[in-house]
């Protein structure tokens, strides 16, 4: 599609599954969680119950691994009718700790894109999740040097974006957001009048899915982050 990025001065990057791998580790952990509880329920049922628990807890825990760990424990108690062993609870905690300490795996072309755009645009990171965890990942990624600003939001709704742009004194007409989630990185950005580029990751969390009728055509969709360099002045 035709896009015009000539006004753009500030580019916001989502982090999880845009700069580095994230969702894959959640899927792997869900597999292991289901194995731990296979005496009580089928894998399908365990997956469903865990997701329901995460959604029920989202408002109180927010996004991130620690909330996920608590939801796994609560689901284990529910699914086992409080019979789950202390040993299994301990293993669940270890699954979460392993996720937290996992090395950061950058996605293809990330460094190339950031080093090309740095100096020509103001680059910022806009991620949601647990503050400590996201700061740790950014540090481990070695990408901090490319960014003017890093913001860890509690959510990515229109109001979160509008407030942040106002706070950072960024004109919506000069802002472009790049991310893997239509729901979090694209739709709210288009709704506030800024521009967005969608770079899908192969795995999407059910919570981040949007219905077909919410899909809009006024944004660019790329297969790889690297392709953005064809559209931006660099
Ligand atoms: Mg993401």
């Amino acid at each position: 599609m035709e896009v015009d990025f000539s006004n753009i001065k500030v580019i916001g990057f989502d982090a999880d599954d845009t700069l580095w791998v994230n969702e894959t580790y959640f899927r792997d952990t869900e597999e292991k969680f289901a194995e731990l509880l296979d005496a009580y329920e089928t894998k399908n049922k365990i997956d469903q119950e865990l997701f329901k628990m995460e959604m029920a807890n989202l408002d109180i825990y927010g996004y991130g691994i620690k909330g996920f760990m608590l939801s796994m424990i609560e689901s284990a108690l529910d699914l086992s009718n409080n019979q789950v062993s202390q040993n299994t609870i301990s293993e669940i905690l270890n699954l979460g700790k392993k996720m937290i300490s996992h090395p950061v795996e950058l996605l293809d072309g990330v460094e190339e894109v950031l080093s090309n755009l740095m100096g020509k645009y103001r680059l910022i990171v806009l991620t949601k999740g647990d503050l400590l965890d996201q700061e740790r990942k950014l540090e481990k990624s070695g990408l901090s040097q490319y960014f003017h600003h890093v913001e860890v939001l509690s959510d990515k709704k229109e109001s979160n974006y509008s407030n942040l742009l106002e706070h950072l004194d960024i004109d919506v007409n000069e802002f472009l957001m790049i991310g893997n989630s239509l729901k979090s990185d694209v739709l709210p950005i288009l709704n506030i009048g800024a521009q967005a580029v969608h770079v899908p990751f192969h795995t999407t969390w059910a919570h981040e899915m949007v219905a077909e009728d919410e899909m809009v055509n006024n944004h660019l969709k790329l297969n790889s982050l690297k392709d953005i360099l064809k559209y931006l002045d660099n």
Side-chain angles (χ1 to χ4, degrees):
M1 69 171 287
E2 280 294 311
V3 286
D4 180 4
F5 293 146
S6 55
N7 282 339
I8 300 302
K9 295 199 171 123
V10 183
I11 305 176
F13 288 85
D14 167 56
D16 290 338
D17 301 319
T18 296
L19 300 178
W20 52 65
V21 177
N22 175 67
E23 198 53 35
T24 313
Y25 310 139
F26 280 87
R27 285 298 96 77
D28 291 348
T29 303
E30 283 163 11
E31 295 266 328
K32 290 182 185 126
F33 176 71
E35 282 166 26
L36 285 176
L37 297 180
D38 67 357
Y40 302 105
E41 269 301 345
T42 61
K43 182 180 180 329
N44 250 347
K45 176 77 176 165
I46 294 169
D47 281 350
Q48 281 171 16
E49 289 306 306
L50 177 57
F51 182 67
K52 263 196 252 170
M53 190 66 76
E54 285 180 86
M55 292 305 101
N57 286 334
L58 201 52
D59 281 348
I60 49 174
Y61 299 149
Y63 296 93
I65 296 172
K66 283 181 276 186
F68 179 60
M69 289 164 77
L70 290 169
S71 290
M72 282 195 288
I73 292 172
E74 194 174 351
S75 298
L77 290 166
D78 271 11
L79 288 160
S80 69
N81 211 2
N82 292 335
Q83 297 305 302
V84 67
S85 71
Q86 291 176 12
N87 197 34
T88 302
I89 299 290
S90 170
E91 289 194 49
I92 292 170
L93 289 169
N94 283 333
L95 286 179
K97 284 184 180 170
K98 260 190 212 155
M99 288 176 79
I100 290 172
S101 61
H102 201 285
V104 170
E105 193 182 336
L106 293 186
L107 289 169
D108 187 39
V110 165
E111 292 233 65
E112 182 189 338
V113 166
L114 295 176
S115 59
N116 261 282
L117 300 178
M118 188 174 67
K120 294 153 194 154
Y121 299 89
R122 242 168 95 200
L123 307 182
I124 62 180
V125 177
L126 295 181
T127 177
K128 70 181 176 193
D130 179 74
L131 178 63
L132 187 61
D133 193 32
Q134 296 300 49
E135 285 179 344
R136 197 187 290 115
K137 283 191 275 188
L138 191 70
E139 168 84 37
K140 283 201 267 186
S141 74
L143 299 176
S144 306
Q145 51 170 325
Y146 296 112
F147 297 105
H148 278 88
H149 182 79
V150 176
E151 190 77 25
V152 182
L153 299 158
S154 60
D155 209 338
K156 282 180 158 179
K157 301 218 163 85
E158 288 166 37
S159 57
N160 302 99
Y161 284 117
S162 303
N163 291 340
L164 183 74
L165 294 187
E166 198 181 313
H167 183 71
L168 296 178
D169 217 4
I170 298 168
D171 187 328
V172 286
N173 299 311
E174 298 176 350
F175 184 66
L176 172 68
M177 180 74 194
I178 302 177
N180 71 296
S181 169
L182 271 176
K183 183 179 174 180
S184 295
D185 306 317
V186 176
L187 297 176
I189 289 290
L190 298 175
N191 287 341
I192 64 166
Q195 295 203 71
V197 173
H198 184 211
V199 188
F201 187 64
H202 53 73
T203 309
T204 303
W205 185 26
H207 176 63
E208 295 291 332
M209 303 279 198
V210 288
E212 202 66 25
D213 59 3
E214 284 184 64
M215 302 273 280
V216 280
N217 243 341
N218 50 347
H219 69 274
L220 182 67
K221 183 177 174 181
L222 300 175
N223 288 325
S224 165
L225 188 67
K226 270 193 285 194
D227 296 338
I228 193 66
L229 294 177
K230 297 178 202 156
Y231 295 87
L232 291 168
D233 179 31
N234 62 85

